[in-house]
Each structure stands twice: as structure tokens, then as C-alpha cells.
């Protein structure tokens, strides 16, 4: 009940009401009008009670020196001001601190939806085969060694090895790979990944909490728990602010025998500007970033970004667009043109659901290349498709499909295939009537500003590296194009986390940039996580500290500059507020200020802090 009342009083609506009554009290004082009850009492009740509640709660529950907080100092000053009858001064310090608390809360709130969405990906049921019979059971009932049947389009409910069947598996949720991976007997599959085509039977090797997806969920939860909220600067200093303020106030009373001077010292000692320094600068910087399509979720992330010395990139959807496109067309049949080869392949693949086939069909459609009606269409999971188009029997797929149907590949063809593999490209071999007609290569495409972005980061003294679930040749090809030297490929989510933890143990401050569900643990574990907001998964965005809503990675150097400027602004604001407080304390000791005028003078620091923060909002940074 007490906490609910405290939360109500500390809310924005009640704080606005508190400010209105404080203004009314000031107007009455300046016009020499008197009410039966000073309106500032309302401000004390609304803004002062939550402070008093917080101070007492910290004294009771906080360990050691953390019992002493800025809330305790302000409560002492507020009570002292009330004791000598300066109601306005008491209401004023309470109101300013309430404003600071609201600003800080708004800048440090973190989204919690990502973990729920990640949990929702977990399969709920599986088809267990026992004694030749299929039964649909809860995933919790599946045991290691059970044989599980997975139909096309279903999520694989366990980690395991394929016992029978062939298929292509979309395992982007775990590895982040842009293309489904062909799987056959003996290959490993992961919980939560999707069986794209053929039915298969999987022998369970990892179930329940031991499955890859549950490990992923657990890592995100643990990383979230490790992220402590940003500690308020005023509370860091409260351990010495409170004793010093009390000593100076007592000394002033003993020396002057003037209780008003002692109370004035307590009032001007209140760290109002100190409390406002961090949240106002952070709010201004977050507003600045938002104008450029960058969403920063917390002040802690903004501050930490300036300390980052190592940036780790995922590949697919981050350095690249994450979309397959036809990159090369090689014709081997005499008299065949590139358009003719595309037409044959697109016609055969027009009925296919495989991403490679869809990409070829889309390529033909975009260039208005004729797509004929295919008949006798048949697909072999993990190999390719058979079809008849225009009287020709077509095969479109990999080497296994062509070897199986007696199509011989020359050394020249094998050299071309090796070249495409080294470039991280996927290949579709097209054969017509038993002879190879050509090769169509497809590739993800690099973001045009990726290379310049990496160069700028290097000039700023920031190390860049690639952490990807893709194979090593693909990773090396794209890393070489952008200028990233350090490469770690073929990584599962937990391996990305391990690499980041290892770097942090070496004293590095790491920023992870990614877009997929599989990047969520790494985004949480890194000091700063940046998600590609436009195409990135909701889970990755929720897990990250910062989201690039336009997917413009060229803004990473801009983020670092903005963060550095924010930290400098906070330090300047703190320095200014301390100088003003010191001057106000001196004037209070000399008897030149009373609690009311002292409150107004030391509030000049709060005004200056807000103005400095406003300048940060409009400052121009190179984008």
C-alpha cells in the first residue's frame, strides 16, 4: 500500500501538480499575499514524501555505506527548512529532485519483451516414433535417444542427428545463416530451427534445458540480469556529501549561533544540479540520435559507447543486406545465351519454395525474362529440382543431383564452382537433356557504406572483427572486402558469447552489432549491443541497447562521437554545479543567503545544466 502511494506521488502527473503549487507559493511570496496554508506544503507532500520513503528504505535495506544516499541529504534539508518555517525552500528542493528522478527513469527504462518473444519460438510438441507408431507429445516428454519425426514446415523440437531423410533446414534462429542448409543422414540439427522441405527422422541428443534454443534463452536471461542499472551520480557522492554537509551546517551554527545559516547550508548543499546533469544531457543526446534514426534505450549504453574500443559485427543483415541475388551467370552450352539460361532455370524453379530458386525466379521477373510453364516438377530435398520446360528435361541443383543423373562436370566447371565457394556464393547447376547448360551463382550483397565505416572506425582507434555463423570461406570473402582482419566463423550463439567474454577478460570494451535472433545473447553480453532495426528481428532489437532504425551502419562512428560529447557535457555540468554550490555555501556562511534565496541561487546551477544539455541536442556531428 505504501509503495503504491509512493509510486503515485512520484509519477509525472503528481509532479506537475507539485510544481504548480510551488509556483503559486512563489507568486504569493513575491506579491506579499498570504494564504492560510502555504501552497508549498502540497509540493512537500507530493514530492517530499517519496524522497523520505526512499531515504528510509535505503537506510533499512541497503548494505554498508550505500545506506547514505542523496535522498537522505535532501530529506534532512527539507525537514530542517520546515523546522524553521521556510516552507517554499523545503518544497523547492523536493520538487527539483522529483524532476531529476523522472528524467533519469525515462532515460534508463529497458524493454523486456525480447525474452518473451524468444521463449515463444520454442516448439511445444514433437512427433515421437515408438514401436513404429507416431504420437504427438509435449516437448518436455521427449527424452535423449527418442526418434522424432519432423514434417516439412515444422520446427525441430530437439537437438539431434538425422537418422533418415534429407531436407534443407532454416537455422537462422541459431546460426544467423542467410540460406537454408542442406541436411542428410548423420547431420546435426538444432531445436527451434525449421524443416523447409522433406520429412525426416531425428534422433534426440539434446532435450529440454540442454537444447540449443533453451541455452539461447538462458544466455539472454543471464546477460539481462548482469546488466545493472546506471547508478545515479549523486548517490555515488552521497557517502561524503551527507557527512560534509552536516559538519559544515553544525560548524556554522556553533560559530554563528544562527540556525537559519545552518539550514541554508543544508539547502544549498542539495545536489539538484548534480542529479539533473546526467539525465538532461542523456535525454538531449538521445533526442539528437533519434533525429537521425538511431534509438538509444539507456544512458548507460550512450556512455559505454564512448568507451568501446572493439566492435564485433555479425555478417548477414549487418555488413550485408541479407538478401540473395544472382551475381554471376556462366553459360557452357554452345548457342545458349545468359538470358536463355536464366529463362530455363527460372521456369524450372518457378514452382520451388527453396530460397535459391525463388531468387532466380525473382531475378528473371525483374528483368522481364520469359518464364515458361513447367511440367512434371519434382523436388529432391538437399539436391535440387527436376522439371520439363519447352520440351527439355531440366535439372537445377547441386553436384549431387547432376552426378545422380549422369551429368558429367568438366574441370572447367569444377574450377568455377570452387571459385564461387571461395567467394561465399551459392551455385545452381543447370542441365538440359543430360548436358550441363551453365551455372548461376547467387550471393548476399555487401552494404555500400560498410568499407568506409570500417575505415573510419580504424582511424578512430577502434578494432573491428567479424563474428558469424556462416562458413569460413564466406566470412573471409566479405571480411576482406570491407577491411576486417579478425574473423571468427561457423559460430553458434554461445560461441559468440564466449568470444565477447574472452575479449572483455583481456580488458577490451566490446560493442556487438547484429540483426538476428541468434545474435541476442551476444548483444546482451557485450558492453553495448547495436541492432539493425529496420530488418532486424524484434528479439534482436529488444536485446540491444541501441537500434539503427534505417540500418545505416555508417552511423556507428557518429554514435561514438555523440557518446564522447555527452560524457564531456555531463562532466562540464557537474563541474559547473559544484562551483555554484561552493559559492552558495560560502554566501550562506557569510549570512548573505537565507534558505529561500539560497534555494533560488543554487537552482541557477540546475538552469545552466539544462541549457548546456539543450546545446548538445542541436550540435552538429559528422554522420
Amino acid at each position: 500500500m505504501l509503495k503504491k502511494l509512493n509510486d503515485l506521488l512520484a509519477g509525472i502527473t503528481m509532479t506537475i501538480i507539485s510544481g504548480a503549487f510551488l509556483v503559486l507559493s512563489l507568486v504569493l511570496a513575491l506579491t506579499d499575499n498570504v494564504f492560510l496554508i502555504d501552497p508549498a506544503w502540497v509540493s512537500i507532500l507530493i514530492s517530499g514524501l517519496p524522497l523520505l520513503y526512499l531515504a528510509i528504505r535505503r537506510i533499512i535495506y541497503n548494505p554498508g555505506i550505500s545506506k547514505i544516499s542523496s535522498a537522505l541529504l535532501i530529506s534532512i534539508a527539507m525537514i530542517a527548512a520546515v523546522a524553521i518555517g521556510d516552507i517554499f525552500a523545503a518544497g523547492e528542493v523536493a520538487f527539483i529532485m522529483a524532476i531529476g528522478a523522472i528524467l533519469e527513469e525515462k532515460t534508463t527504462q529497458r524493454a523486456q519483451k525480447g525474452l518473451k518473444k524468444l521463449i515463444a519460438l520454442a516448439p511445444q510438441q514433437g512427433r515421437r516414433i515408438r514401436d513404429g507408431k507416431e504420437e504427438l507429445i509435449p516437448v518436455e516428454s521427449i527424452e535423449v535417444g527418442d526418434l522424432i519425426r519432423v514434417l516439412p514446415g515444422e520446427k525441430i523440437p530437439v537437438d539431434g542427428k538425422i537418422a533418415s531423410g534429407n531436407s534443407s533446414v532454416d537455422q537462422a534462429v541459431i546460426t544467423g545463416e542467410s540460406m537454408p542448409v542442406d541436411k542428410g543422414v548423420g547431420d546435426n540439427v538444432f531445436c527451434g530451427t525449421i524443416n523447409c522441405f522433406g520429412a525426416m527422422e531425428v534422433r534426440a541428443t539434446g532435450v529440454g534445458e540442454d537444447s540449443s534454443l533453451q541455452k539461447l534463452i538462458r544466455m539472454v536471461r543471464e546477460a539481462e540480469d548482469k546488466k545493472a542499472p546506471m547508478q545515479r551520480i549523486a548517490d555515488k557522492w552521497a557517502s561524503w556529501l551527507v557527512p560534509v554537509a552536516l559538519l559544515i551546517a553544525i560548524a556554522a551554527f556553533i560559530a554563528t549561533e544562527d540556525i537559519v545559516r545552518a539550514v541554508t547550508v543544508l539547502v544549498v548543499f542539495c545536489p539538484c544540479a548534480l542529479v539533473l546533469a546526467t539525465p538532461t544531457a542523456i535525454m538531449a543526446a538521445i533526442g539528437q540520435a533519434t533525429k537521425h534514426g538511431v534509438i538509444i534505450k539507456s544512458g548507460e549504453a550512450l556512455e559505454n559507447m564512448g568507451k568501446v574500443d572493439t566492435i564485433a559485427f555479425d555478417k548477414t543483415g549487418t555488413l550485408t543486406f541479407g538478401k540473395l541475388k544472382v551475381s554471376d551467370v556462366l553459360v557452357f552450352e554452345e548457342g545458349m545465351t545468359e538470358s536463355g539460361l536464366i529463362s530455363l532455370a527460372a521456369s524450372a524453379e518457378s514452382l520451388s519454395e527453396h530460397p535459391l530458386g525463388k531468387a532466380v525466379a525473382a531475378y528473371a521477373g525483374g528483368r522481364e525474362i520469359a518464364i515458361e510453364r513447367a511440367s512434371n516438377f519434382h523436388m529432391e530435398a538437399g539436391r535440387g529440382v527436376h522439371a520439363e520446360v519447352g520440351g527439355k528435361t531440366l535439372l537445377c541443383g547441386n553436384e549431387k543431383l547432376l552426378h545422380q543423373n549422369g551429368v558429367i562436370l568438366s574441370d572447367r566447371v569444377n574450377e568455377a564452382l570452387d571459385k564461387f565457394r571461395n567467394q561465399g556464393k551459392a551455385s545452381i547447376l543447370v542441365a538440359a537433356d543430360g548436358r550441363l547448360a551453365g551455372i548461376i551463382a547467387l550471393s548476399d550483397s555487401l552494404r555500400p557504406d560498410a568499407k568506409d565505416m570500417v575505415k573510419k572506425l580504424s582511424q578512430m582507434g577502434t578494432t573491428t572483427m567479424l563474428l558469424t555463423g556462416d562458413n569460413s570461406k564466406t566470412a573471409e570473402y566479405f571480411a576482406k572486402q570491407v577491411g576486417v582482419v579478425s574473423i571468427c566463423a561457423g559460430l553458434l550463439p554461445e560461441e559468440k558469447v564466449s568470444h565477447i567474454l574472452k575479449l572483455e577478460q583481456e580488458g577490451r570494451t566490446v560493442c556487438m552489432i547484429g540483426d538476428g535472433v541468434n545474435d541476442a545473447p551476444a548483444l546482451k553480453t557485450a558492453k553495448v549491443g547495436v541492432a539493425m532495426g529496420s530488418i532486424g528481428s524484434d528479439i534482436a532489437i529488444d536485446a540491444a541497447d541501441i537500434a539503427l532504425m534505417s540500418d545505416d551502419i555508417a552511423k556507428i562512428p557518429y554514435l561514438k562521437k555523440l557518446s564522447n560529447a555527452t560524457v564531456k557535457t555531463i562532466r562540464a555540468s557537474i563541474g559547473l554545479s559544484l562551483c555554484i554550490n561552493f559559492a552558495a555555501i560560502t554566501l550562506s556562511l557569510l549570512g548573505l543567503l537565507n534558505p529561500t534565496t539560497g534555494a533560488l541561487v543554487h537552482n541557477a546551477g540546475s538552469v545552466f545544466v539544462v541549457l548546456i544539455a539543450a546545446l548538445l541536442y542541436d550540435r552538429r556531428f559528422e554522420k
Side-chain angles (χ1 to χ4, degrees):
M1 181 65 183
L2 192 60
K3 187 178 184 304
K4 287 183 178 179
L5 177 62
N6 178 75
D7 293 341
L8 175 65
L9 294 176
I12 295 176
T13 301
M14 295 303 291
T15 302
I16 292 173
I17 294 173
S18 171
F21 276 93
L22 192 65
V23 171
L24 178 59
S25 175
L26 179 61
V27 170
L28 292 175
L30 294 176
T31 57
D32 293 326
N33 289 312
V34 179
F35 271 16
L36 182 62
I37 299 177
D38 192 325
W41 272 110
V42 178
S43 301
I44 293 173
L45 291 173
I46 293 176
S47 300
L49 287 180
L51 279 170
L52 192 59
Y53 171 82
L54 181 61
I56 294 173
R57 183 176 177 80
R58 287 179 176 175
I59 290 173
I60 295 173
Y61 295 106
N62 281 18
I65 198 68
S66 62
K67 291 179 181 292
I68 301 175
S69 64
S70 58
L72 178 61
L73 175 57
I74 296 156
S75 297
I76 293 172
M78 182 176 62
I79 293 169
V82 169
I84 66 170
D86 200 329
I87 308 304
F88 175 80
E92 182 270 344
V93 293
F95 174 71
I96 290 295
M97 292 304 293
I99 290 292
I102 288 174
L103 288 175
E104 190 165 28
E105 181 183 1
K106 291 299 179 184
T107 59
T108 57
Q109 286 180 340
R110 301 291 301 275
Q112 298 295 323
K113 299 177 183 177
L115 191 56
K116 293 180 182 178
K117 292 177 181 176
L118 189 57
I119 292 171
L121 291 176
Q124 301 301 310
Q125 295 179 313
R127 302 174 186 273
R128 184 171 62 188
I129 307 299
R130 183 168 287 181
D131 298 328
K133 296 181 180 180
E134 177 184 309
E135 55 180 339
L136 195 62
I137 62 172
V139 71
E140 296 84 7
S141 301
I142 300 176
E143 299 176 354
V144 173
D146 281 348
L147 190 63
I148 306 299
R149 178 173 292 158
V150 187
L151 301 181
E154 290 185 340
K155 291 179 182 177
I156 299 173
V158 295
D159 286 2
K161 285 183 178 294
I162 297 178
S164 65
N166 295 290
S167 184
S168 293
V169 178
D170 180 354
Q171 51 189 35
V173 67
I174 298 295
T175 66
E177 290 171 284
S178 56
M179 296 181 290
V181 179
D182 294 334
K183 299 280 187 177
V185 175
D187 288 335
N188 292 316
V189 292
F190 305 108
C191 175
T193 58
I194 300 172
N195 179 21
C196 295
F197 306 111
M200 59 184 179
E201 293 180 355
V202 175
R203 185 72 65 181
T205 58
V207 300
E209 293 299 315
D210 293 327
S211 70
S212 298
L213 185 60
Q214 289 300 328
K215 289 178 182 177
L216 190 67
I217 293 169
R218 190 162 59 249
M219 283 187 291
V220 172
R221 183 182 282 120
E222 289 172 354
E224 175 69 27
D225 291 341
K226 291 176 184 176
K227 287 276 185 122
M230 184 174 59
Q231 187 178 9
R232 294 172 67 172
I233 292 176
D235 285 337
K236 291 179 182 179
W237 292 6
S239 58
W240 65 267
L241 276 175
V242 173
V244 169
L246 290 173
L247 286 173
I248 293 176
I250 292 169
F253 176 69
I254 294 173
T256 63
E257 297 183 354
D258 185 355
I259 188 64
V260 174
R261 293 193 188 191
V263 173
T264 304
V265 168
L266 290 176
V267 171
V268 299
F269 229 113
C270 289
C272 297
L274 196 61
V275 168
L276 288 172
T278 298
T280 51
I282 287 172
M283 284 195 75
I286 289 175
Q288 153 90 235
T290 302
K291 289 192 296 183
H292 299 298
V294 180
I295 306 301
I296 302 174
K297 296 184 182 179
S298 72
E300 182 184 21
L302 187 65
E303 185 177 356
N304 287 338
M305 191 65 194
K307 302 174 184 177
V308 164
D309 54 30
T310 303
I311 295 183
F313 294 93
D314 177 47
K315 181 190 75 68
T316 306
T318 304
L319 292 178
T320 68
F321 285 104
K323 295 180 181 179
L324 290 172
K325 294 182 179 179
V326 173
S327 58
D328 303 86
V329 180
L330 294 183
V331 178
F332 290 98
E333 184 173 329
E334 190 174 341
M336 177 78 69
T337 63
E338 289 188 3
S339 296
L341 182 66
I342 291 291
S343 178
L344 287 177
S347 299
E349 296 281 9
S350 61
L351 300 177
S352 172
E353 291 296 319
H354 197 286
L356 294 180
K358 285 184 174 182
V360 172
Y363 180 82
R367 283 156 181 77
E368 298 184 351
I369 296 174
I371 299 179
E372 298 183 38
R373 184 179 180 83
S375 60
N376 294 327
F377 176 85
H378 171 65
M379 179 175 180
E380 287 191 41
R383 283 178 165 78
V385 300
H386 302 250
E388 290 185 8
V389 176
K392 294 183 178 181
T393 300
L394 298 181
L395 299 173
C396 295
N398 56 25
E399 297 102 308
K400 292 179 182 178
L401 179 69
L402 271 66
H403 288 154
Q404 176 183 302
N405 288 275
V407 179
I408 299 173
L409 304 182
S410 66
D411 291 340
R412 181 187 170 199
V413 172
N414 287 321
E415 287 175 4
L417 290 174
D418 288 339
K419 175 186 174 183
F420 291 143
R421 288 193 193 97
N422 291 331
Q423 293 177 345
K425 298 176 181 178
S427 300
I428 295 179
L429 294 163
V430 183
D433 295 330
R435 297 188 307 277
L436 182 70
I439 303 174
I440 300 173
L442 301 96
S443 174
D444 198 353
S445 52
L446 191 70
R447 293 182 183 274
D449 46 10
K451 184 175 182 179
D452 184 59
M453 179 270 300
V454 170
K455 181 180 179 181
K456 286 182 178 179
L457 288 174
S458 298
Q459 291 172 346
M460 296 170 69
T462 304
T463 302
T464 55
M465 65 185 307
L466 189 63
L467 300 181
T468 179
D470 269 344
N471 63 74
S472 58
K473 289 186 177 180
T474 301
E476 288 170 4
Y477 175 72
F478 282 102
K480 185 177 180 180
Q481 284 188 295
V482 298
V484 174
V485 177
S486 182
I487 306 165
C488 296
L491 301 180
L492 294 174
E494 60 265 31
E495 292 172 324
K496 290 184 180 182
V497 169
S498 297
H499 276 281
I500 291 173
L501 291 175
K502 182 180 178 181
L503 288 169
E504 291 182 346
Q505 288 172 359
E506 294 172 356
R508 304 278 192 91
T509 303
V510 183
C511 169
M512 176 68 194
I513 303 178
D515 77 302
V517 174
N518 65 298
D519 296 319
L523 291 170
K524 281 289 188 184
T525 302
K527 197 73 171 179
V528 181
V530 179
M532 308 296 285
S534 177
I535 65 169
S537 73
D538 290 342
I539 293 168
I541 294 170
D542 287 339
D545 305 292
I546 299 169
L548 305 180
M549 300 313 294
S550 61
D551 291 341
D552 185 2
I553 56 174
K555 288 176 181 172
I556 299 301
Y558 157 77
L559 263 177
K560 282 188 62 64
K561 291 180 181 180
L562 175 64
S563 177
N564 291 337
T566 303
V567 172
K568 290 178 182 177
T569 298
I570 291 172
R571 290 173 179 169
S573 297
I574 290 173
L576 177 62
S577 66
L578 290 176
C579 289
I580 291 176
N581 274 20
F582 179 78
I585 291 167
T586 303
L587 294 174
S588 300
L589 293 173
L590 295 174
L592 299 177
L593 295 177
N594 59 39
T596 299
T597 56
L600 293 174
V601 168
H602 101 277
N603 264 353
S606 301
V607 173
F608 283 128
V609 163
V610 174
L611 290 176
I612 293 173
L615 293 175
L616 179 64
Y617 179 81
D618 290 321
R619 191 179 305 178
R620 293 182 178 274
F621 294 91
E622 180 187 357
K623 292 179 285 182

